[in-house]
Amino acid sequence: MQRIGVLTSGGDAPGMNSCIRAVVRKAIYHGMEVIGIKRGYSGFIDADMGPMNLGSVADIIHRGGTILHTARSQRFQTKEGRAQAMENVRRFGIQGLVVIGGDGSFTGASIFHQEHGIPVVGVPGTIDNDISGTDYTIGFDTALNNVVDAINKIRDTATSHERTFVIEVMGRNSGNIALAAGLAGGAESILVPEILFNIEDICHKLLSGHKRGKLHSIILVAEGAASGLTIGQQIKDLTGFDTKVTILGHLQRGGIPSAFDRILAARLGAKAVELLMAGDSGKMVGVRSGEVVASDLQEILGKPCPINDEMYQLAKILSI
Amino acid sequence: MQRIGVLTSGGDAPGMNSCIRAVVRKAIYHGMEVIGIKRGYSGFIDADMGPMNLGSVADIIHRGGTILHTARSQRFQTKEGRAQAMENVRRFGIQGLVVIGGDGSFTGASIFHQEHGIPVVGVPGTIDNDISGTDYTIGFDTALNNVVDAINKIRDTATSHERTFVIEVMGRNSGNIALAAGLAGGAESILVPEILFNIEDICHKLLSGHKRGKLHSIILVAEGAASGLTIGQQIKDLTGFDTKVTILGHLQRGGIPSAFDRILAARLGAKAVELLMAGDSGKMVGVRSGEVVASDLQEILGKPCPINDEMYQLAKILSI
Amino acid sequence: MQRIGVLTSGGDAPGMNSCIRAVVRKAIYHGMEVIGIKRGYSGFIDADMGPMNLGSVADIIHRGGTILHTARSQRFQTKEGRAQAMENVRRFGIQGLVVIGGDGSFTGASIFHQEHGIPVVGVPGTIDNDISGTDYTIGFDTALNNVVDAINKIRDTATSHERTFVIEVMGRNSGNIALAAGLAGGAESILVPEILFNIEDICHKLLSGHKRGKLHSIILVAEGAASGLTIGQQIKDLTGFDTKVTILGHLQRGGIPSAFDRILAARLGAKAVELLMAGDSGKMVGVRSGEVVASDLQEILGKPCPINDEMYQLAKILSI
Amino acid sequence: MQRIGVLTSGGDAPGMNSCIRAVVRKAIYHGMEVIGIKRGYSGFIDADMGPMNLGSVADIIHRGGTILHTARSQRFQTKEGRAQAMENVRRFGIQGLVVIGGDGSFTGASIFHQEHGIPVVGVPGTIDNDISGTDYTIGFDTALNNVVDAINKIRDTATSHERTFVIEVMGRNSGNIALAAGLAGGAESILVPEILFNIEDICHKLLSGHKRGKLHSIILVAEGAASGLTIGQQIKDLTGFDTKVTILGHLQRGGIPSAFDRILAARLGAKAVELLMAGDSGKMVGVRSGEVVASDLQEILGKPCPINDEMYQLAKILSI
């Protein structure tokens, strides 16, 4: 393996830069060259790529986002698009590919690998932590801290005004961010797409809490479970409480990556390079009980990633 | 002056606790007693109040919100409500009142002072920085840093995805937060209620910037100028750019108060006590060019507070 | 089990309050009573303890330190001291004890358990992450982020002035904080007590880096490995570089607990209560590959906790 | 004025990048060219300089330190050094110079201006806030928040362990940082170089506070007033309290600049360009009661900058 390519794809996640840095430095350490591919698969198709050196990744370890930029590409879902990308693989002499992204990006990587035989290793980079085969995905810990920081701030005003706050957080089809943030932030109720909820029960809990003297409450809503605005209106209607809604949106994805994400990203990026050097392919790297491991992309693709039931039950018990 | 009362009214603002602490300690230092009034004017009417000591304000200097809680009171706008409050003034032996809040709170304080002759001093506590008679209001600096922190985070993802972001910030009828945050955050356009804007011009600027290779942009919108969602849709329609909207909402009001707000709050709170001790009344304390000053409530009430034109022009120049 | 006691002992760690909250709420949820013991074992001996309710743990989840306070106690290392504590166990009707602390605290707990037969469960709360039987200890993640935040700040001035910085971090006999922070912060060299280092090699690396144009460097030193001041002087002498030293000290232990630490603390605290309810004893709870587990205190006491060699080698490779 | 030069000199300060950005964009906006000079006066002498464009200052507004780097130069204090710099002024066609730095940097600028007649405008950039002619210097607000953030963290462990903490902060001969941080952080005592202190009095206050039940204390020491280590030892000896010392060092200078510093820096940088355009010279820009102003360098050089006595007295009153 003389030359590898690296790209970030799908939604950006804090820590991706630390991962890119690790891929580049690890490869150079072992005497290989690295081609940085811009804008995910669309840059891969458009040959928007070029060599990276130690300088390319200097002073990026603490930056959010991704210096390679990212995008979602329709064309890579077509045979023609992938063939065009393969052209660039030959043209730039790329012998192995590191794809940093989420489930969708891995599907494309896996098909590309099967169609054209080029070795590919995936690194889980998404704030949603919804990929099986790893305990944590790169970006989840930072996003989680962003949400909990927002909860801290909103709690100040919730307490002062004795209000009910509904906070809508990211997570597409996953309740991981909502559950973890709700447990860490001491939310009164947590709505996740994985578990059916009943708005009457939630309001009943708010009302009985209010009877016991609880003067403010925070409800976390995963975007995949319901609309924060809808829930806020329903609570207002059913309880009469002064209810405010905040939709955190994209600020959850940004900011200085946490130490946890930087370390995870560095370890996974280096492992991806090792796998390619070892002639391994069609794999995704991950972390399990503190150890870096590899799984077959085939096995983990589309595999459901249930939320932690012990944590869900615990959140309920602690919010009494 | 043997006993004074203190209350926080209107929207909560970071630094109010530092102000309460200063009022209590300064008064005790001079041998006076302090009655803390809960929930602003509604607690004042309902006699939800009691004595405070050094312990009551220990370990609160760094907490957001207000330990006295706050509320908006319809009843205090009625003669009957104010008469009821005066009853409590007599009952608790309050000889002077410190009101920490915004313009609306001061109107009530001023009427109360004129009706019942009780000495009142106002302390400007609002994140909007829209009160004449002071260069800064308590809470503005912290809110500003909250917004700029959010811009930093959103910029990471804006850069990675080459998107346009619209961020709606607080400020009711004032563009102060939007202008200051836009200047500090390097926003491409800033929409404030004080100045007419033209969506075509904004989009024209975005498009020409895009031609020059500018791949992402951030537009700040003061809630009093327009709806972020509307502006986002208009930009999407007129430019075709992938445009996302974030409404920061109440997280702007919370969080650990900045050093600036804590110091301002301490100085203004102490000055308010001094004025009451000196038999002064119907005043608002403020800061002007670093010095603590006092103005007549009458003079500053409802007085317009224009945004800083030099800063507005500068923001335009720097966003070329 | 009708009534349990809880105490924090040894050095305080961010997240201890989230753990106390979980112990109290979980116990109350199951109909038990909780006695809060102040100042660790010294309050245990002096009967500085009392009942806790839901209100006792309201609004503490995001506070650093420990509301129960903590201390190191010589007397509990004596038979007399422990007998006195057992007196209070009887007097307050405590049937089980949760001890939140580190290795030293568990030794005391284990001896106490054996001498007096009272059920005891330990919860690992220390920033050092040096306890076997758990992948993480409560407080480590927050301390790590505090150190990395300091590295970020120091890097700004290191870059601007082209200086070498030596940063001494905590960790007593463990290099865990230094290694993790160095990997996350991109330090050029990391000195840990577990691995012999040679100051000439470190300076040689600095000099060759300087030849390659590297204009600033950061060296992390675990307090157990060497004195930051000594290392700084040696580097200055051997390289002639302008070298500055920062000793982070106790600010590493404080601050708002990270989401990771709050969740870990809540899960471990609740599990400790479950073990006591199940009649289990002489155990320590921990987390292994995301799952909450229990180990025998006997097995883990004094058991060495080697640093992660893969991470150590990786830090070297990435700092080329 | 067709072409101006800009440099940062002396200690780096957060916000310098925002100032450089404003100088460059403002100049380009008015059709001028900008030469960026590296490493302060030493780069000025060594011709380490080159043209800057809009791209040179993109994405730097939120970065600490200075992209132009900074240094202290002995040579510029010599006639020969300054003559060499003048050579480069001619060679690069520089017609006006913006110097961002502190008192020492301005002295050099002023002499250079008198010797060679080249127009020079100074911008106050130093965390010490010790320059007359401006209410605030660039970097002070961020440094202040860094110190107060450290106090917050240390207070957590001080409270939990009931300890006395001594924190040494920067400020060379100025007590501004110590005083402001002590007032904002609620320190029990503040030692500044401007005011004589008596260690016996400080310990007496600690002891009487302890009698009243105050279980922890924080003493702020400006580096110019005394050594934190010495004060810590003296307190330990005179009170017997468990006393810890933290020397914050260079982390005070770094980090993301606060909104206040970014806005101040942008306004002062733009004003400096305006002065040069207007043919003004030998001036320093500053802010007075919210307005940007200009003073003669001659008048402000070496002029003492006393600390705010009202704030010092207030800090004493509030720490009862």
Side-chain angles (χ1 to χ4, degrees), chain D residues 18-33:
Chain D
S18 172
C19 189
I20 295 165
R21 175 178 178 268
V23 168
V24 171
R25 295 194 161 207
K26 171 83 172 175
I28 289 173
Y29 178 86
H30 291 293
M32 296 186 284
E33 296 171 342

Side-chain angles (χ1 to χ4, degrees), chain B residues 18 21-23 25-26 28-30 54 59 61-62 135-136 141 144-145 148-149 152 155-156 159 179-187 212 214 216 256-260 262-263 266-268 270 288-292 308 310-311 314 316-320, chain D residues 18 21-23 25-26 28-30 54 59 61-62 135-136 141 144-145 148-149 152 155-156 159 179-187 212 214 216 256-260 262-263 266-268 270 288-292 308 310-311 314 316-320:
Chain B
S18 173
R21 176 178 179 267
V23 168
R25 296 195 160 207
K26 171 83 172 176
I28 288 173
Y29 178 85
H30 291 292
L54 292 179
D59 200 31
I61 196 171
H62 59 299
D135 294 344
Y136 295 99
D141 185 65
L144 182 55
N145 279 299
V148 170
D149 177 51
N152 285 345
R155 189 177 292 285
D156 288 331
T159 315
L179 173 55
L183 187 52
R212 288 205 327 276
K214 191 164 224 167
H216 66 277
I256 297 175
S258 69
F260 185 97
R262 297 190 206 183
I263 294 169
R267 295 174 74 190
L268 297 187
R288 281 250 180 76
S289 59
E291 295 306 311
V292 177
N308 182 316
E310 168 234 336
M311 280 173 56
L314 179 58
K316 277 191 161 175
I317 290 174
L318 298 187
S319 65
I320 54 170
Chain D
S18 172
R21 175 178 178 268
V23 168
R25 295 194 161 207
K26 171 83 172 175
I28 289 173
Y29 178 86
H30 291 293
L54 292 179
D59 199 32
I61 196 170
H62 58 299
D135 294 343
Y136 295 100
D141 185 65
L144 182 55
N145 279 299
V148 170
D149 176 51
N152 285 346
R155 189 176 292 284
D156 287 332
T159 315
L179 172 57
L183 187 53
R212 288 205 327 275
K214 192 163 221 168
H216 65 276
I256 296 175
S258 70
F260 185 97
R262 296 190 206 182
I263 293 170
R267 295 174 73 190
L268 297 188
R288 280 252 181 75
S289 58
E291 296 307 310
V292 177
N308 183 317
E310 167 234 337
M311 281 172 56
L314 179 57
K316 276 192 162 175
I317 289 174
L318 298 187
S319 66
I320 54 171

Side-chain angles (χ1 to χ4, degrees), chain A residues 25 184 262 267 289 310 318, chain C residues 25 262 267 289 310 318:
Chain A
R25 295 196 161 206
R262 296 190 206 182
R267 294 174 74 190
S289 59
E310 167 234 337
L318 297 188
Chain C
R25 296 195 161 208
R262 296 190 207 183
R267 295 175 73 191
S289 58
E310 167 234 336
L318 298 187

Side-chain angles (χ1 to χ4, degrees), chain A residues 21 25 29 61-62 136 144-145 148 152 180 183-184 259-260 262-263 267 270 289 308 310 314 317-318 320, chain C residues 21 25 29 61-62 136 144-145 148 152 180 183-184 259-260 262-263 267 270 289 308 310 314 318 320:
Chain A
R21 175 177 179 268
R25 295 196 161 206
Y29 178 86
I61 197 171
H62 58 298
Y136 296 100
L144 182 56
N145 280 298
V148 170
N152 284 346
L183 187 53
F260 185 96
R262 296 190 206 182
I263 293 169
R267 294 174 74 190
S289 59
N308 182 317
E310 167 234 337
L314 179 57
I317 290 174
L318 297 188
I320 55 171
Chain C
R21 175 178 179 268
R25 296 195 161 208
Y29 178 85
I61 196 171
H62 57 299
Y136 295 99
L144 182 55
N145 280 298
V148 170
N152 284 347
L183 187 53
F260 186 96
R262 296 190 207 183
I263 294 169
R267 295 175 73 191
S289 58
N308 182 316
E310 167 234 336
L314 178 58
L318 298 187
I320 54 171

Side-chain angles (χ1 to χ4, degrees), chain C residues 173-228:
Chain C
N173 311 320
S174 163
N176 284 324
I177 291 177
L179 173 56
L183 187 53
E188 275 63 29
S189 297
I190 305 170
L191 279 52
V192 295
E194 294 87 348
I195 295 169
L196 280 176
F197 64 90
N198 176 319
I199 192 70
E200 278 79 13
D201 298 347
I202 291 163
C203 292
H204 178 76
K205 185 177 180 183
L206 286 174
L207 287 161
S208 57
H210 191 265
K211 278 206 199 65
R212 288 206 326 276
K214 191 164 224 166
L215 296 172
H216 66 276
S217 300
I218 287 177
I219 318 291
L220 274 197
V221 181
E223 64 183 353
S227 146

Side-chain angles (χ1 to χ4, degrees), chain B residues 245-313:
Chain B
V245 178
T246 295
I247 295 161
L248 290 182
H250 283 70
L251 69 84
Q252 295 168 79
R253 311 182 79 85
I256 297 175
S258 69
F260 185 97
D261 275 330
R262 297 190 206 183
I263 294 169
L264 177 65
R267 295 174 74 190
L268 297 187
K271 178 70 171 181
V273 173
E274 277 175 15
L275 290 179
L276 288 176
M277 287 168 66
D280 242 334
S281 181
K283 302 277 187 188
M284 185 196 81
V285 293
V287 64
R288 281 250 180 76
S289 59
E291 295 306 311
V292 177
V293 296
S295 329
D296 285 328
L297 272 175
Q298 284 309 323
E299 282 174 26
I300 60 110
L301 279 178
K303 200 169 169 190
C305 210
I307 61 169
N308 182 316
D309 189 61
E310 168 234 336
M311 280 173 56
Y312 185 78
Q313 298 307 328

Side-chain angles (χ1 to χ4, degrees), chain A residues 64-282:
Chain A
T66 159
I67 59 165
L68 289 177
H69 298 263
T70 180
R72 291 184 166 78
S73 167
Q74 302 295 332
R75 292 177 293 158
F76 199 71
Q77 295 174 25
T78 68
K79 221 170 179 10
E80 299 64 33
R82 294 189 296 269
Q84 184 57 49
M86 193 57 203
E87 270 303 301
N88 298 324
V89 166
R90 295 195 196 85
R91 180 172 149 210
F92 285 83
I94 294 171
Q95 297 161 302
L97 186 67
V98 176
V99 173
I100 308 166
D103 205 67
S105 314
F106 294 161
T107 308
S110 179
I111 296 171
F112 189 65
H113 166 62
Q114 286 155 45
E115 271 181 1
H116 301 284
I118 166 116
V120 166
V121 174
V123 181
T126 163
I127 64 169
D128 298 340
N129 202 32
D130 60 352
I131 296 178
S132 72
T134 187
D135 294 342
Y136 296 100
T137 56
I138 298 167
F140 174 67
D141 186 65
T142 305
L144 182 56
N145 280 298
N146 285 339
V147 174
V148 170
D149 176 52
I151 294 176
N152 284 346
K153 288 176 172 148
I154 288 170
R155 188 176 293 284
D156 288 331
T157 189
T159 314
S160 303
H161 281 277
E162 302 170 355
R163 277 173 175 154
T164 300
F165 270 90
V166 173
I167 306 176
E168 182 185 307
V169 301
M170 285 184 162
R172 291 177 309 171
N173 311 321
S174 163
N176 284 325
I177 291 177
L179 173 56
L183 187 53
E188 274 62 29
S189 297
I190 305 170
L191 279 52
V192 296
E194 294 87 347
I195 295 171
L196 280 175
F197 64 89
N198 177 318
I199 192 69
E200 279 78 14
D201 298 347
I202 292 162
C203 291
H204 177 76
K205 185 176 179 185
L206 287 174
L207 288 161
S208 56
H210 191 266
K211 278 205 199 65
R212 289 206 327 274
K214 192 164 223 167
L215 296 171
H216 66 276
S217 300
I218 287 177
I219 318 292
L220 273 197
V221 181
E223 63 184 353
S227 146
L229 292 165
T230 311
I231 298 296
Q233 191 55 56
Q234 291 176 320
I235 291 175
K236 197 178 258 167
D237 297 343
L238 293 168
T239 65
F241 293 162
D242 178 9
T243 307
K244 302 280 179 187
V245 178
T246 295
I247 295 160
L248 291 183
H250 283 71
L251 70 85
Q252 294 168 80
R253 312 181 78 86
I256 297 175
S258 69
F260 185 96
D261 275 331
R262 296 190 206 182
I263 293 169
L264 177 65
R267 294 174 74 190
L268 296 187
K271 179 70 172 180
V273 173
E274 276 174 16
L275 289 179
L276 287 176
M277 287 168 66
D280 242 334
S281 181

